Amino acid sequence: MQRLILGTRKGLLIYGRHGDEWMFESASFHGVPIQFVLYDARHGVIWASLEHGHWGAKLAKSEDGGATWIDVDAPKYPDDAHVKDGEPATTKLVWAIAGGGVDHPDRLWFGTEPGGLFVTEDYGQSFQLVRGLWDQPTRPTHWFGGGRDQPAIHSILVDPRDSERVLVGISCAGVFETLDGGATWK
């Protein structure tokens, strides 16, 4: 069955296609903005990034098509990560999520505000800040938020032919590419 999974400012909606018609199936996270939704066909799991104003950036996943949800700790910046001198980096929002390719079934990429990229190799049990991108010399002086306080990684594209090649879009810094799974970027 085909499904349409929508993240809205007031929750997550799921529709299913029955013949020629789309029919409403479920709603989750009533009243909470959903920043991003990923259906990961490798595991049949739906990932949702929530922008909960009071509680901050949240992640959830559903292993049963959206019937129930499991809270997942959002990626956290290490203590030595600073947006700029004297300002520690904290995850304000998870803007984008991408699967790591068929040859890395437990890898996921998470793009955040303030412009950090995180990777998990154990399907969300733990996250690592991708230092090769975070430590770009242009980040502290040339990256800035396009209408927000900080830059954000808003797009992540994993090459389906070579999962070590990843492109990320960063507002307002441009597009960066890695050919070695995140170790180096240009």
Side-chain angles (χ1 to χ4, degrees):
M1 172 196 312
Q2 293 177 318
R3 300 181 88 202
L4 182 62
I5 306 168
L6 303 168
T8 76
R9 291 188 321 160
K10 296 188 179 195
L12 186 137
L13 306 173
I14 298 178
Y15 288 82
R17 186 169 187 144
H18 302 272
D20 291 337
E21 294 185 32
W22 288 96
M23 299 179 71
F24 174 78
E25 290 184 356
S26 66
S28 303
F29 309 110
H30 301 274
V32 177
I34 305 299
Q35 183 62 41
F36 198 91
V37 177
L38 170 73
Y39 173 71
D40 188 353
R42 300 171 305 169
H43 292 274
V45 172
I46 303 170
W47 285 84
S49 164
L50 291 73
E51 184 181 1
H52 199 289
H54 183 71
W55 302 110
K58 298 289 182 187
L59 283 176
K61 69 179 181 177
S62 177
E63 299 172 344
D64 57 10
T68 61
W69 291 89
I70 301 163
D71 289 336
V72 177
D73 288 336
K76 291 180 179 51
Y77 284 85
D79 291 340
D80 67 340
H82 288 78
V83 175
K84 54 186 173 185
D85 286 340
E87 185 180 339
T90 59
T91 305
K92 295 182 180 186
L93 189 62
V94 176
W95 272 83
I97 309 168
V102 294
D103 55 334
H104 293 285
D106 292 335
R107 179 184 287 174
L108 291 166
W109 299 93
F110 293 80
T112 69
E113 178 185 336
L117 180 67
F118 289 82
V119 66
T120 177
E121 299 288 352
D122 55 16
Y123 214 63
Q125 305 267 338
S126 64
F127 298 94
Q128 294 77 42
L129 176 63
V130 178
R131 295 306 296 231
L133 185 60
W134 182 257
D135 293 336
Q136 284 291 307
T138 59
R139 187 190 56 76
T141 57
H142 290 83
W143 297 15
F144 61 94
R148 294 187 62 94
D149 293 338
Q150 302 292 332
I153 294 182
H154 55 72
S155 302
I156 306 168
L157 299 170
V158 177
D159 188 332
R161 299 161 300 179
D162 177 4
S163 65
E164 297 300 302
R165 180 175 182 249
V166 180
L167 295 112
V168 296
I170 306 168
S171 65
C172 288
V175 176
F176 284 77
E177 175 187 42
T178 181
L179 300 175
D180 53 17
T184 60
W185 295 82
K186 61 180 179 168

